[in-house]
Amino acid sequence: MVARALLGRLDALARCGRAGLAWEVLRRNPAYRSAVRDLAGAMCPGKAASQDFTAIWGLHFR
């Protein structure tokens, strides 16, 4: 039963790909969530995230 549940999770992870895995890891990281809250308050729509943010988290938003 446990093996079947694990295989189901691994299959779901494989379907979401690297971007999905990155999102799952980051969305659970309290430091990332805090950084995004700070960033969201300081950003203007259509403006790129700061170089500091992308250097720390390796993300680029479009």
Side-chain angles (χ1 to χ4, degrees):
M1 191 64 127
V2 173
R4 183 176 295 167
L6 179 58
L7 288 175
R9 290 183 189 140
L10 290 174
D11 184 49
L13 187 58
R15 284 193 313 268
C16 71
R18 282 187 249 170
L21 174 60
W23 171 242
E24 282 300 316
V25 170
L26 286 174
R27 77 180 186 91
R28 297 163 194 246
N29 183 320
Y32 172 75
R33 292 168 53 184
S34 176
V36 168
R37 278 192 299 272
D38 294 344
L39 180 67
M43 283 189 68
C44 298
K47 186 176 178 187
S50 71
Q51 289 182 344
D52 291 340
F53 184 88
T54 57
I56 293 169
W57 298 106
L59 300 172
H60 300 271
F61 300 99
R62 295 180 189 204

